[in-house]
Structure formats: C-alpha cells, structure tokens
Amino acid sequence: MLRFWSFLLLSPLLFAAVSGEFYDDDSEIVLTFIVRVENELKPSAFSDVERWYKSTLHNLDSNPSGIGKSSEFLHIYQTVFHGFSVKLTPKLARQLQKRPEIVAIFPDRVRQLQTTRSPRFLGLSNNNPGGLLTESDSGSNVVIGVLDTGIWPEHRSFHDEGLGPVPSNWRGECVEGDNFTKNLCNRKIIGARYFSDGYEARRGRINSSEELKSARDTNGHGTHTASTAAGRAVGNASLFGYAAGVAVGIAPKARIAVYKICWQYGCMDSDILAAFDQAARDGVNVISISVGGGVVPYYLDPMAIGAFGAMEKGILVSAAAGNDGPTKLTVSNVSPWMMTVGASTIDRTFPADLVLGNGRVITGASLYSGPPLPKKTFLPLIYAGNALIGGDVTKRAGGFSSATCLDGSLDENAVRGKIAVCDRGGNSRVAKAGVVRKAGGVGVVVANVAPIGEGLIADPLVLPGLAGDDSVSRHKIGVKPAPVVASFSARGPNIDSPYILKPDVIAPGVNILAAWPAGSSPTELADDPRQTEFNVASGTSMSCPHASGVAALLKGAHADWSPAMIRSAMMTTAYSRYRDGMPLLDEQSYNISSIWDVGAGHVDPQRAVDPGLVYDLTVVDYLNFLCASNFSGDEIRRIYRKRFSCGRKQLKPWDVNYPAIVVQFEAAEASAGGDLEVVVTRTVTHVGDRAARFVAAVTSPRGVSVTVMPAVMMFRAKGEKRSYKVRIKAEKMALRPGTALWEEGKVMWSDGRRQVSSPLVVMWSRKY
C-alpha cells in the first residue's frame, strides 16, 4: 500500500488565504482587482457595458481617490469572461462586491513561468504516410494561441514557406509595439498581441531599456515554447554543437498566435484573463500556457475561469502541471476542463564526468562549451557551504546561502582556483556557476539534494561544470530507460478535486532543443555575452507545448472533436509501461512511478489519432460535476456566466465522464466486517469509421473487486454512444487520522486492434 498525508483539509485553508486578501484590509492602498459582472443585468439606459461599468465605478464613493487614476480600466473582458479589471482600494472593492450585478471580485495574483529530438521520440515522422502528421496536414488549419513571453518573429523556425492561406475563420491581428511591426507577421505567425496593463499596475511602467513593450520576446521562454509546439523544420540546429540535427515542432504547419502575458517579474492574472478573452475572440483552436502559481478553488482562480469560458468556445486549454515535484500534492492548473501536462525525459542525454583523485568517476550532465580545464590536472574541490563570506557556516541562513551559491555569499579566498560544489535550490543552476566564477572558482558541480532525487538537467554553464548526484561527450541517443518521469514534474493527487486525475498526461520536458531569440544569452544572465539560435531548456513549460502540438494535430485530423474528446484520445491511448511490460520509472529514485506521477501515462500521438472510443464532456457535464462536488450556486456562478441550478439531482462527483476513474472511501480507526461499494457510470462515443465490438478487460486494484456492466459493447456507426457501469467493491481499511492509502488498476476496452484504457484509482482516507 502507498501512503500520503491527507489533502482533504487543504482547500478550505487556501480559500481563507485568498478570500482574506482584501476583505479584511481597510487600508487606502490602491490594488488591482478583477471584477466579474452579470451583463444580463445591464440597464437599457446604457448603450454598452463599458459605459455601465464606468458609471458603476463613479457611483461607488464620493471620494474618487480610491480609484486608480492611471487607467480607469486595465482590461474589459467580453468573451470567456464578462467584466473588467481596475485599480481600487480594498474599501471600494468591498462596496462594489455588494452590488447585485457583481458576481465576484478577485485580487490580481502574479504567476510564474514553468521553465530536437522529441518529435521523433514521440513517433512523429513524415516518413509514415498513414500517420498523424499526414492525416492532419501537420496542423495547417489549426491555430495555437501561445500565452507566454512573446516571440522572436525573425527566427528561422517561424518562416512561412510552403504554407497555404491563413485559415478563413481567423479574426486576429498583429499589434505593433516596441521593435515590432505588423509586417513581421506572416502565414506562420498570424497574430501577435501583448498585455501589460495589469503588470504595470503592480510593478510600475515597463523600463524600455530592460524589456520591450510589444509581442517581441527578449526572455526566450515564449520563443522556445512556440517553436516546440509548432516550429518549422530547421536543419543544422544545435546549442554550441550539442543536440545537433533538425529542430522541428510537433505541429510544424500549425499557425501561431502570440499573446505576450509575462514580463520580467511575472505574469498577472488580469493580463492572462485578457489574453484568454482575446484569443477566443480571435479564433484560436488550442491555448498553450506554461505558467502556474499554486492551487486555489476553481471559483477563486481567474485562469481556471478563463479556461472554462475558452472550453465553452470549443478551445482546448493545455497547461503546465508545474515544477514543484517530486513532492505529492503539488500539481497546479487542475481544473477538469484543462489538460494538465507533466514532464518526462527523452532518450537523449548530455553526460559529463567529474573524475576524483582516487579514480572515482561521478557522471552528471552539462552543456558547457567553453575552454576545458587543464588535462591530467586535479583541482581542489570545496563544498560551497564551507565557504561563507565573513560568516559562521553553522548558522542556518548563512549556511544555506553559501551552500546554494547565492550571489555574494562565497568567500573568494576560499573558492579561488577551486571547483565549488553547490546544492540545488535558492537560485537557478546557471546562476550558481556565475556566482562561483565571480568568486574566482574555476569549475562548479551542482548537486541534487533531498527531495529532488537523481534527475539530471543539462545547462549551458558559464564555466566548466556539471549537474550531478552522488551515485565529456556531446550527447548520447537511445538512452534507456526512456521516458522516465522528470523529478521536478509536479505530482498529484489533485488538491481541489481528488476525483479528477491530475496530471492528465506526461510529455517530453527535459533537455528540449528549440528556438531562442537573437541577443539573449542561453543562461539569461546579464554577464553572459554568449548568443545562440537554439537553446536547451527543461520544465513542464517544455512538456506543455509538446501536448499542445499533439492536440493541434488531432484537431487538424478531426475538426469536429471537442476539447474533451481530444484530451480523451490522448489519455486513453497514453502508455504507462515500457515495451518490455515494465512500469515507467520515476527519475527521483528510479523506482516505479505511480498514477500521481504519470496521470494516464505518456502521450502517444500515433495511437491518439485513432482511439476507437472517446469520453466527451459538455458544459452541462462540468456544471453537474461542480454540483456533485458541493459547490454552491454562487460559487458556480463565479465560474459560469449564467445562473445554474443544481436542483435535487442525486449527482456523484466520480460520475463525471472523465477518461479516468477515481473513487474515495472513508476509512475507520479500525477495520470492520463487510465491504465498501460504489457504482460508477461512464459514456463513450464511437469515433471509428466502421462498426466495432469492444470487450472490457479489468485490472483490479489490490484489495478491490471490479465488475464492468455490460462487458461487451457493440457500435454500428460513427458517433454512436453507449454507457456502461463499473461496480467497485473495496475492503474496509483502518487508518490513522489525516492519512490515506490508494491502489491502482485500469479498465480497458478493446476491439482487437485498439485499446481504450482508463486508469482506475481507489483511495481510502480518514480525516482528522
């Protein structure tokens, strides 16, 4: 049995933290708020909602000083969300909340980015005439909206040679700004916008000497993710000779629409929501967003609410799971109407060796490309924790700062001429090398520490060095085992809704080569003068656009599929075992991964194009799930633009038509006689072109009896729907308060050619 601390009490604490951010604050500080409005209550005297909103604000208080003057409205939301963002004092925000047309007010939060061979690793090749690239025409009629740090439009990865006309339903445009003109867009980059009002309301005006107020990317993250999802094929691509070959995105003919939402110090919810709103108006098919910022209940999360509105418009939202692994309960972007993507490795590594004087060799990973250290010369090693400048290393704070090589923490007399060993954490891996170099060190070893585990990430360090653990060639291909779950990839279970499996899938996210802006160093350090056309990066930020690209290909092959059908195809065809039948491993310890690490498994695009059966979900299905999860009418109204009555429906949250089944039983202090039982209902849609007979096969979780009724389903025509029930009988379990256990299994339907697999998880938990 597997054990983890109960998460059932976390959501109320999160709610209290968020809701208290301004309701208990009587200060006169002006803050940014996002206001959701029920537009149906607009009086007829106002010709449009903006005039109505403006009148509402001016009527709040006779003293207008409580309303930000720099810009009365930061954003007006009209598509996936109705309302506006504005600067107000907490006092005026409380007054505004009392008005009947105001559905909800959200404090503006800041989020952070979740920072090639991978298409071939996924089985995507033009050499397969019947494959997904061929069936979808490489996504040529699909538009991916990339919400990130912008794009470097001149990059070779974004040329439009050989592309047909822009899709006829496209309504977007290229907005000009600093060093960005409309003629930089083409038939590949068909839209470019930027959203900075929320950011500037928080941080002040953007400094044009540091970053550009336009869709142009000076960070690198957005260019990398956009080219990962949909970059054109570019030959002779590499990072200083590493990973040399052809760099190509997952959906190389898909069109890219850029929505710059992230700036030097983060990404504001108000700007993210504005980008969601505009992307839906413009006509994107897929939204790819690699940002996160912790989990709050769906009805308090503007990003989840924006994603719900996008789903209503038929847009699939693909989001990064987060980089807070390997700890359980860390996955973010967990709403059931989003596709949440964890990270895995591919079969390519960049090994580098540290040779000790006693002959021991420690293998790590590195992308260092500068002058090597002297051959046949051994240099002294020093643990950075013992090199604190002018301080006592026995003190906790001082010891941590030097151990992790924070800026200004190292004693030059102790480090000069030595190779410093720095612990992970505190700052970026590449920054540690810069700190060691500044202190006179000649090399660096970045050491994994608990609970990070054994994951190795290669970096373009500014001096000789490697990342490693305690257990130089250019690169190795065909490394096994691969994939394994990246140690940093955030893990489930889902704090908000344990019945919704998160992450949904995993995809390549370690050492990914993709496009990089001119003028930006590969490390993003101010004192690194190097430039490169391509860079290698790791994170769920990289796995998310892989999944976004696959979703675009599936939309290109099946234009009539809903977002839920696309996600279902990716989940039910994902794999959780290697070809030899052994389960996927976890990079943290190279032990067997769990359902909370991989979700449904690793994406398999070629199988996803012909899944046989899919689990569809409508807007009403999601609303019924919220009802079954005991969301109040007011809470549902915050998410959904209209009022929705749960009525007296006897709904169960595990009956949501998700491609995975998760049930939870209440455990007792001591086990008693008898079993626990629940019956789960699922409905599948046949998407094959021919009549088919699907037979059920069950792998029961340990201590659980599972029966599928009926065990055989017949389908005569495409689009036909059939429902089945799963009877789950579980043994009673004795647990300590605040703990939980789980066991894994699966339900699989097969017609002899295709396997439609759904994870099955049974949990026993006991509250405090």
Side-chain angles (χ1 to χ4, degrees):
M1 292 287 184
L2 302 172
R3 185 179 297 270
F4 58 88
W5 289 109
S6 172
F7 52 91
L8 300 176
L9 301 180
L10 292 179
S11 289
L13 297 176
L14 289 167
F15 171 79
V18 173
S19 62
E21 186 170 335
F22 73 90
Y23 282 103
D24 297 331
D25 189 353
D26 287 319
S27 74
E28 292 301 310
I29 298 174
V30 176
L31 305 172
T32 301
F33 296 95
I34 301 168
V35 182
R36 177 145 209 175
V37 183
E38 188 170 344
N39 279 356
E40 287 74 12
L41 297 181
K42 179 182 73 68
S44 58
F46 296 98
S47 59
D48 57 55
V49 293
E50 186 170 349
R51 293 175 185 273
W52 178 39
Y53 297 163
K54 190 173 294 186
S55 173
T56 301
L57 287 179
H58 282 296
N59 289 335
L60 277 180
D61 198 305
S62 58
N63 178 12
S65 62
I67 301 176
K69 291 186 175 182
S70 60
S71 175
E72 205 161 277
F73 293 117
L74 302 176
H75 299 290
I76 299 289
Y77 309 111
Q78 305 176 43
T79 308
V80 303
F81 186 96
H82 287 168
F84 55 90
S85 51
V86 67
K87 295 178 72 173
L88 298 171
T89 63
K91 178 182 178 181
L92 289 187
R94 287 197 305 274
Q95 287 185 29
L96 186 62
Q97 179 72 81
K98 295 175 182 178
R99 297 184 63 89
E101 70 271 22
I102 303 303
V103 177
I105 298 180
F106 309 93
D108 201 7
R109 287 197 307 155
V110 65
R111 299 177 188 258
Q112 300 296 331
L113 298 164
Q114 306 291 320
T115 289
T116 242
R117 178 174 168 77
S118 50
R120 184 173 293 275
F121 182 73
L122 291 173
L124 293 170
S125 171
N126 285 318
N127 296 328
N128 183 356
L132 179 53
L133 286 176
T134 301
E135 289 198 37
S136 65
D137 190 23
S138 299
S140 63
N141 286 318
V142 179
V143 182
I144 303 176
V146 182
L147 278 60
D148 213 293
T149 64
I151 198 166
W152 194 266
E154 297 90 348
H155 198 283
R156 290 189 293 161
S157 293
F158 307 122
H159 73 80
D160 65 355
E161 183 179 345
L163 289 180
V166 172
S168 59
N169 62 343
W170 178 245
R171 299 178 294 276
E173 63 176 300
C174 284
V175 175
E176 296 192 337
D178 294 344
N179 199 19
F180 199 103
T181 57
K182 290 187 176 182
N183 62 7
L184 290 172
C185 287
N186 54 19
R187 288 172 297 174
K188 181 63 177 178
I189 303 174
I190 63 173
R193 301 178 186 271
Y194 64 96
F195 302 86
S196 61
D197 287 346
Y199 179 81
E200 290 186 293
R202 171 68 68 93
R203 300 286 313 187
R205 292 182 65 84
I206 288 173
N207 184 344
S208 60
S209 66
E210 296 179 350
E211 53 187 337
L212 299 176
K213 194 172 178 180
S214 71
R216 182 172 291 279
D217 180 20
T218 55
N219 172 282
H221 192 277
T223 299
H224 198 282
T225 56
S227 64
T228 299
R232 307 300 303 279
V234 178
N236 299 316
S238 74
L239 170 62
F240 306 136
Y242 289 100
V246 176
V248 62
I250 301 299
K253 288 187 180 180
R255 316 308 171 112
I256 296 172
V258 178
Y259 300 88
K260 184 174 178 178
I261 56 168
C262 296
W263 305 85
Q264 186 173 0
Y265 298 105
C267 331
M268 299 305 301
D269 270 347
S270 57
D271 295 332
I272 294 171
L273 189 56
F276 267 99
D277 201 61
Q278 188 62 59
R281 261 201 313 278
D282 288 345
V284 305
N285 305 109
V286 175
I287 286 177
S288 184
I289 181 165
S290 293
V291 303
V295 177
V296 296
Y298 309 140
Y299 60 88
L300 292 175
D301 185 353
M303 188 164 147
I305 295 169
F308 188 95
M311 175 273 300
E312 287 186 87
K313 299 293 184 181
I315 301 166
L316 181 138
V317 178
S318 171
N323 296 338
D324 292 327
T327 306
K328 294 289 189 286
L329 300 164
T330 53
V331 63
S332 60
N333 295 323
V334 295
S335 59
W337 43 85
M338 301 171 80
M339 180 169 68
T340 311
V341 189
S344 65
T345 66
I346 60 174
D347 62 344
R348 178 180 63 198
T349 62
F350 303 94
D353 292 337
L354 177 70
V355 181
L356 303 182
N358 62 3
R360 183 183 177 188
V361 178
I362 298 176
T363 297
S366 180
L367 293 167
Y368 174 71
S369 61
L373 293 173
K375 292 184 178 181
K376 299 181 180 180
T377 300
F378 288 92
L379 298 168
L381 280 173
I382 183 170
Y383 175 53
N386 296 328
L388 177 65
I389 185 170
D392 183 355
V393 297
T394 62
K395 292 182 179 179
R396 185 180 182 89
F400 175 81
S401 65
S402 61
T404 54
C405 296
L406 298 184
D407 192 24
S409 67
L410 300 182
D411 185 344
E412 293 183 12
N413 293 325
V415 174
R416 186 177 295 110
K418 299 176 183 176
I419 298 173
V421 179
C422 306
D423 290 342
R424 288 267 300 264
N427 57 355
S428 70
R429 297 179 302 275
V430 291
K432 297 177 192 299
V435 171
V436 171
R437 182 175 67 174
K438 189 183 299 184
V442 295
V444 64
V445 176
V446 181
N448 288 341
V449 293
I452 294 170
E454 299 181 14
L456 298 179
I457 299 174
D459 293 302
L461 303 173
V462 294
L463 79 169
L466 55 84
D469 51 35
D470 56 5
S471 58
V472 179
S473 63
R474 286 321 236 183
H475 68 270
K476 288 184 178 180
I477 292 176
V479 174
K480 293 183 179 180
V484 300
V485 183
S487 60
F488 59 76
S489 185
R491 316 301 169 96
N494 180 346
I495 288 178
D496 267 2
S497 301
Y499 306 104
I500 301 296
L501 180 65
K502 294 292 179 178
D504 293 300
V505 292
I506 59 174
V510 177
N511 296 336
I512 304 302
L513 180 77
W516 200 249
S520 296
S521 76
T523 61
E524 302 175 55
L525 298 177
D527 59 352
D528 182 3
R530 297 174 300 170
Q531 295 187 20
T532 179
E533 190 181 14
F534 293 88
N535 199 5
V536 171
S538 300
T540 53
S541 278
M542 283 67 246
S543 58
C544 171
H546 277 85
S548 305
V550 173
L553 293 177
L554 293 175
K555 185 67 174 179
H558 303 285
D560 58 337
W561 280 12
S562 69
M565 294 168 76
I566 293 172
R567 179 182 57 193
S568 172
M570 294 173 67
M571 290 180 69
T572 60
T573 60
Y575 61 90
S576 57
R577 292 179 177 270
Y578 300 109
R579 291 183 179 179
D580 63 4
M582 297 301 293
L584 298 185
L585 299 182
D586 182 351
E587 193 182 38
Q588 178 195 11
S589 59
Y590 278 86
N591 290 325
I592 293 172
S593 62
S594 79
I595 193 76
W596 311 123
D597 307 329
V598 303
H602 194 281
V603 292
D604 189 340
Q606 297 291 21
R607 291 183 60 210
V609 71
D610 184 20
L613 305 173
V614 294
Y615 296 84
D616 198 7
L617 281 159
T618 66
V619 172
V620 172
D621 291 328
Y622 287 119
L623 295 173
N624 283 335
F625 167 75
L626 296 176
C627 291
S629 301
N630 296 318
F631 281 61
S632 69
D634 285 342
E635 290 166 351
I636 294 174
R637 187 175 167 225
R638 288 168 171 249
I639 299 169
Y640 186 45
R641 289 200 304 266
K642 305 172 186 175
R643 295 177 184 271
F644 184 80
S645 174
C646 294
R648 297 182 179 180
K649 303 173 185 176
Q650 298 298 311
L651 302 170
K652 303 298 182 184
W654 51 77
D655 279 333
V656 63
N657 203 41
Y658 218 71
I661 298 172
V662 183
V663 299
Q664 182 173 340
F665 295 112
E666 184 68 29
E669 184 173 1
S671 60
D675 290 332
L676 304 166
E677 182 175 326
V678 68
V679 177
V680 176
T681 301
R682 287 292 186 271
T683 300
V684 291
T685 303
H686 182 228
V687 292
D689 293 326
R690 303 174 184 173
R693 177 179 183 267
F694 281 85
V695 179
V698 174
T699 302
S700 295
R702 186 167 53 178
V704 179
S705 172
V706 179
T707 306
V708 178
M709 305 164 289
V712 178
M713 293 190 294
M714 301 293 297
F715 297 89
R716 295 182 176 83
K718 187 175 184 178
E720 197 172 351
K721 295 180 182 291
R722 290 280 185 270
S723 295
Y724 67 91
K725 296 183 182 296
V726 181
R727 186 181 301 277
I728 301 169
K729 289 186 177 181
E731 298 174 358
K732 288 188 176 180
M733 293 288 177
L735 293 177
R736 298 193 310 272
T739 61
L741 300 171
W742 79 85
E743 289 291 348
E744 306 170 20
K746 69 178 177 180
V747 174
M748 186 176 72
W749 292 93
S750 177
D751 64 351
R753 183 170 63 90
R754 295 162 295 191
Q755 291 80 42
V756 187
S757 183
S758 292
L760 171 61
V761 185
V762 176
M763 295 191 293
W764 297 261
S765 64
R766 187 177 177 205
K767 299 179 181 179
Y768 285 103

